[in-house]
């Protein structure tokens, strides 16, 4: 009688369903104790299907990532690229098509042992939709060596750098939300705007119900800057609460 022990199967760095291929990316190929590294969850989505933003809109579920990290390591919040608007009948959703990379910062513990390994695993859940919606899940993983600061390594990843270019940035111009009779306005102050140079203005609320997703958003350019008119949703912000979201100004 012969006994054998099957080797543990490594968690793959890339996996696929019928609609979505998912890959775990790292900006670096080795980690140093006490530093932060940038990881990416890349989704490549077949045509006519989409996955969802942090606020999916009138329906849908945002992609979720559950990390398995070494003791003492910490994962930051997901950094969400700017979404697109999808309308199906009376429903409006905020989602991604074709390809998206969700970025997350991981802090390596200062006590990590040089010469050992830093294993990373992520359970990724998402809802992918066309006319029908399908919940899907994969587990991804990679292992990076722990090296001393100053040790040569790859410092950049082109796909992560491309994803960083898709992230919203803090507005260089002041933005103020004001309640109006039966409505809400966003005022983007600045003299850098001219009516003929702006093609569209759209606000994507980061929290469900703050703004009516399917309602028209009208805008105008005046001497103060840009004024965008919104319709409050089912869960409008209370006085004094911030209105979080992404304001997209498209040039002509």
């Amino acid at each position: 009688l012969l006994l054998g022990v099957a080797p543990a199967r490594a968690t793959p760095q890339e996996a696929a369903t019928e609609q979505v291929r998912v890959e775990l990316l790292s900006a670096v190929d080795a980690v140093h104790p006490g530093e932060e590294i940038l990881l990416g969850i890349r989704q490549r989505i077949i045509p006519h299907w989409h996955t969802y933003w942090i606020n999916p809109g009138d329906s849908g579920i945002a992609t979720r990532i559950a990390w398995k990290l070494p003791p003492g390591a910490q994962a930051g919040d997901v950094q969400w690229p700017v979404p697109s608007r999808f309308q199906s009948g009376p429903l409006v959703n905020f989602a991604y098509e074709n390809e998206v990379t969700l970025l997350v910062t991981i802090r390596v513990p200062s006590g990590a042992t040089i010469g050992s390994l830093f294993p990373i695993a992520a359970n990724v859940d998402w809802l992918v939709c066309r006319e029908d919606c399908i919940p899907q899940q994969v587990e991804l993983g990679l292992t990076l060596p722990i090296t001393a600061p100053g040790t040569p390594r790859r410092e950049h990843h082109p796909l992560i750098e491309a994803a960083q270019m898709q992230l919203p940035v803090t507005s260089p111009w002041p933005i103020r939300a004001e309640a109006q009779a039966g409505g809400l306005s966003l005022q983007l102050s600045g003299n850098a705007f001219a009516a003929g140079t702006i093609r569209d203005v759209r606000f994507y609320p980061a929290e469900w119900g703050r703004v009516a997703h399917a309602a028209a958003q009208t805008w105008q350019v005046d001497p103060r800057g840009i004024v965008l008119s919104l319709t409050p949703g089912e869960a409008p912000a209370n006085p004094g609460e911030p209105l979080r979201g992404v304001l997209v100004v498209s040039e002509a």
Side-chain angles (χ1 to χ4, degrees):
L1 178 63
L2 300 177
L3 298 178
V5 178
R9 192 171 69 178
T11 304
Q13 191 172 344
E14 188 172 357
T17 67
E18 186 176 341
Q19 292 81 18
V20 186
R21 178 169 292 275
V22 191
E23 183 180 5
L24 175 58
L25 307 173
S26 173
V28 296
D29 57 5
V31 302
H32 303 325
E35 73 168 349
E36 290 186 343
I37 63 170
L38 192 59
L39 302 182
I41 299 292
R42 182 191 186 201
Q43 295 179 332
R44 283 174 284 174
I45 309 160
I46 65 173
H48 312 300
W49 291 74
H50 56 266
T51 62
Y52 290 94
W53 189 50
I54 184 174
N55 172 15
D58 291 325
S59 62
I61 300 173
T63 297
R64 295 169 292 187
I65 309 169
W67 295 98
K68 298 178 183 178
L69 303 171
Q74 295 180 328
D77 294 333
V78 174
Q79 301 173 42
W80 299 87
V82 176
S84 296
R85 183 179 185 271
F86 293 81
Q87 183 156 6
S88 177
L91 303 180
V92 166
N93 298 114
F94 308 133
Y96 304 107
E97 61 183 354
N98 299 324
E99 181 175 331
V100 63
T101 298
L102 308 179
L103 299 177
V104 176
T105 298
I106 303 292
R107 175 168 288 280
V108 181
S110 58
T113 303
I114 293 171
S116 62
L117 298 176
F118 190 77
I120 300 167
N123 281 308
V124 187
D125 294 85
W126 67 89
L127 190 69
V128 61
C129 298
R130 185 177 181 178
E131 294 179 357
D132 297 325
C133 291
I134 306 172
Q136 297 179 337
Q137 180 188 69
V138 298
E139 184 173 7
L140 306 174
L142 60 82
T143 299
L144 301 173
I146 303 173
T147 60
T151 304
R153 65 176 181 178
R154 186 194 73 223
E155 297 285 350
H156 306 284
H157 193 298
L159 293 175
I160 287 184
E161 291 181 338
Q164 289 178 294
M165 297 297 293
Q166 302 301 316
L167 296 176
V169 298
T170 302
S171 172
W173 303 284
I175 302 177
R176 186 173 70 254
E178 288 188 354
Q180 299 176 331
L184 179 68
S185 73
L186 288 183
Q187 297 182 6
L188 178 62
S189 302
N191 56 10
F193 309 106
T197 65
I198 305 301
R199 176 171 55 85
D200 191 31
V201 181
R202 182 161 298 278
F203 178 69
Y204 295 92
E207 297 168 291
W208 180 89
R210 293 295 190 248
V211 170
H213 304 133
Q217 298 186 7
T218 59
W219 56 275
Q220 61 181 1
V221 179
D222 65 21
R224 297 172 295 173
I226 297 174
V227 179
L228 178 65
S229 297
L230 305 170
T231 301
E234 298 177 43
N238 295 318
E241 284 187 320
L243 180 63
R244 299 179 186 77
V246 177
L247 183 65
V248 178
V249 179
S250 303
E251 294 182 319

